[in-house]
Amino acid sequence: MAKMQTPCPFSTHLVFADAEMTPNIAPILDSRLGVSAVWVIYTPNRVENAQRLASIYQAHTIQTRLIEMDLAFDLFEITSRLETLVKDVLPENLAINLSCASKMVTLAAFKAFENTGVGLYYLLPNDQLKWIQPPGLPEFNIAKNLQLTEFLHAHGIEHFQAAELSPNQANFAKGLVNAIQKIILPHKALNSYQYFSTHHARGKSIKLVKHEGRYYLNEIGSRSRLQTDLMVGLLRKLQNQNIVQYQTQQQSLITQPETDSWKRGFIEGGWLEYLTYQTVFALKAEIAGLVDVALNVKLQRHHAFDEADVLFLANNQLFLVECKTGSNANLNLHLQRLDSLKNRLGGLTAHALLVTTEAIGANLHKAQLLKIGVLDAKQLPDLKTHLKRWILQEIQAPKP
């Protein structure tokens, strides 16, 4: 991809407010375009979108002008209005971003400014800026300049708060996740972990009885599909790290109930969210444009509240990950909620992924219809590889 060798000649840019926000933000904030002023054209039903755009531009010290325009369906009238609007601007100083313009407005812009000095451009979904005119200007990928808070504000989120773990909580989280990765996931022993986590998180003790070199659950000879030897190995590792406490009595291992509510919740389901967050964070070093990873995010828009397990940006687009553990998880319901949340938070260019300890099974078809990625139990042992593949697949350049 060619790099810009000279500054963009257009200091004033004109954009059209729409429900999709990123195409109107990312190019303007790219310093290579040298934008000093933006005119935001909006229809009466897009006033909030225009105001949110203006607040972001102004935060970056870009002069902003809001212009309400009832873009009628008459091509000649729209053409006339655009020509009148910019009559005092030198053509060589003006560029028009057509990314969020309607088909009628795009045609009008062509009719008004084709073969003039006015720049016309749009942004591809992979963040590549395409010049329509003038010829010869180099195309390039827009800088990954959006931050998560700014992105969400642009899409109407008024309050945004990500979880911040205390040093003790972070040590607990890392220790538990490390043990799960080394002992549970490689041996496909999620059922054993699920039994432990459900009981331990609800304040119940677990009794493992050793007889003739084997461990049994509750009593000798009890039949169970659980891998109790692995469970014992997990508990020993966790006790060594002061994460779980147990007592040994007459060849029996009995866990002590956990009193800390945060730890109980983390043991039961928070571990998968943290594992996913930790893995995405590590991928920042391997995937260009992946930024601003957040865990357990609380969101508020007006008086409506939402939550997201993991949020991050890549190529200035929102990625939303939902993590679900336990055999009682209603995957069909979670897919439906994830699709709705994806559209509310990031619009048409947002991406969503469900990470679950269960087999996706028959729900895979629905996930595909909703264009939601899925990583289930069989992929968790190599979560980093599968996450990286999914992210790169979502942000790859569209095929011509």
Side-chain angles (χ1 to χ4, degrees):
M1 182 60 60
K3 295 182 179 179
M4 293 194 73
Q5 302 298 322
T6 57
C8 173
F10 311 108
S11 58
T12 298
H13 285 231
L14 189 151
V15 304
F16 298 89
D18 187 63
E20 290 300 309
M21 305 292 284
T22 304
N24 279 331
I25 300 174
I28 302 301
L29 300 188
D30 193 315
S31 60
R32 291 171 294 179
L33 287 178
V35 182
S36 60
V38 182
W39 294 4
V40 183
I41 295 180
Y42 66 94
T43 54
N45 64 322
R46 293 297 181 198
V47 60
E48 287 190 14
N49 304 81
Q51 290 170 344
R52 293 200 295 269
L53 285 173
S55 68
I56 292 173
Y57 298 151
Q58 290 162 358
H60 289 265
T61 65
I62 296 172
Q63 295 180 10
T64 307
R65 177 182 173 188
L66 297 180
I67 303 165
E68 182 175 336
M69 185 179 292
D70 186 7
L71 298 171
F73 290 99
D74 185 277
L75 176 62
F76 296 101
E77 185 174 348
I78 299 174
T79 303
S80 176
R81 288 184 181 185
L82 291 177
E83 290 173 334
T84 301
L85 176 65
V86 302
K87 61 182 177 62
D88 296 327
V89 181
L90 292 175
E92 57 267 27
N93 290 340
L94 177 66
I96 300 178
N97 183 351
L98 296 173
S99 304
C100 296
S102 67
K103 290 182 180 179
M104 189 66 73
V105 170
T106 300
L107 289 172
F110 270 101
K111 185 172 179 62
F113 306 114
E114 190 175 16
N115 298 321
T116 71
V118 174
L120 299 175
Y121 70 92
Y122 63 95
L123 194 67
L124 289 172
N126 68 331
D127 265 10
Q128 184 182 1
L129 188 141
K130 301 281 289 185
W131 288 102
I132 301 170
Q133 70 175 41
L137 278 182
E139 298 171 357
F140 59 99
N141 285 331
I142 290 296
K144 311 308 177 258
N145 45 30
L146 280 178
Q147 297 299 307
L148 194 52
T149 301
E150 197 166 53
F151 181 98
L152 293 170
H153 173 69
H155 289 82
I157 298 300
E158 298 167 348
H159 299 288
F160 160 90
Q161 183 176 4
E164 294 183 7
L165 303 187
S166 69
N168 286 338
Q169 288 175 330
N171 287 335
F172 182 95
K174 290 175 183 177
L176 178 63
V177 165
N178 179 263
I180 292 171
Q181 285 181 295
K182 289 187 174 180
I183 297 174
I184 298 298
L185 296 182
H187 295 92
K188 300 179 181 179
L190 280 168
N191 285 342
S192 296
Y193 180 81
Q194 187 69 42
Y195 180 90
F196 152 71
S197 65
T198 300
H199 282 68
H200 196 68
R202 296 175 186 177
K204 299 179 181 179
S205 295
I206 296 172
K207 183 178 180 181
L208 293 164
V209 183
K210 188 175 183 180
H211 178 68
E212 295 182 352
R214 292 189 59 188
Y215 279 94
Y216 297 88
L217 193 61
N218 298 321
E219 59 184 22
I220 297 172
S222 62
R223 294 184 178 182
S224 173
R225 295 182 180 179
L226 301 179
Q227 293 167 271
T228 49
D229 286 334
L230 284 176
M231 195 185 302
V232 171
L234 175 71
L235 294 176
R236 285 175 175 166
K237 185 174 180 64
L238 295 180
Q239 175 158 273
N240 289 339
Q241 299 180 69
N242 200 32
I243 293 174
V244 168
Q245 300 300 319
Y246 63 80
Q247 296 177 337
T248 53
Q249 301 174 359
Q250 299 178 345
Q251 294 287 60
S252 296
L253 184 156
I254 304 172
T255 61
Q256 296 180 351
E258 176 58 64
T259 58
D260 186 300
S261 60
W262 181 87
K263 291 180 179 179
R264 290 200 305 267
F266 191 90
I267 286 169
E268 186 166 25
W271 68 269
L272 183 60
E273 298 166 18
Y274 189 81
L275 171 61
T276 303
Y277 164 78
Q278 186 177 256
T279 306
V280 174
F281 195 90
L283 286 171
K284 289 173 65 176
E286 301 181 23
I287 300 178
L290 196 165
V291 299
D292 230 10
V293 188
L295 170 69
N296 287 342
V297 184
K298 310 295 183 186
L299 306 152
Q300 181 181 349
R301 185 203 313 263
H302 301 308
H303 297 293
F305 297 86
D306 277 313
E307 295 184 3
D309 293 337
V310 179
L311 285 179
F312 62 95
L313 295 182
N315 268 26
N316 291 324
Q317 299 169 24
L318 185 70
F319 285 70
L320 167 66
V321 185
E322 189 85 354
C323 304
K324 291 301 171 188
T325 61
S327 57
N328 294 325
N330 187 332
L331 297 185
N332 180 66
L333 182 63
H334 291 312
L335 287 170
Q336 199 69 47
R337 176 187 175 274
L338 192 51
D339 180 58
S340 175
L341 189 59
K342 173 188 69 170
N343 293 329
R344 290 200 305 275
L345 296 183
L348 296 176
T349 61
H351 313 269
L353 175 72
L354 176 66
V355 179
T356 176
T357 57
E358 301 304 303
I360 188 63
N363 291 296
L364 179 60
H365 180 62
K366 180 164 188 176
Q368 292 171 335
L369 287 176
L370 297 176
K371 296 182 179 179
I372 294 175
V374 175
L375 299 180
D376 66 4
K378 65 180 180 294
Q379 293 154 318
L380 288 182
D382 197 8
L383 180 61
K384 185 176 181 181
T385 297
H386 292 291
L387 261 175
K388 182 177 181 180
R389 182 180 298 137
W390 175 73
I391 295 169
L392 291 175
Q393 175 183 297
E394 293 296 296
I395 63 177
Q396 69 181 352
K399 296 179 181 179

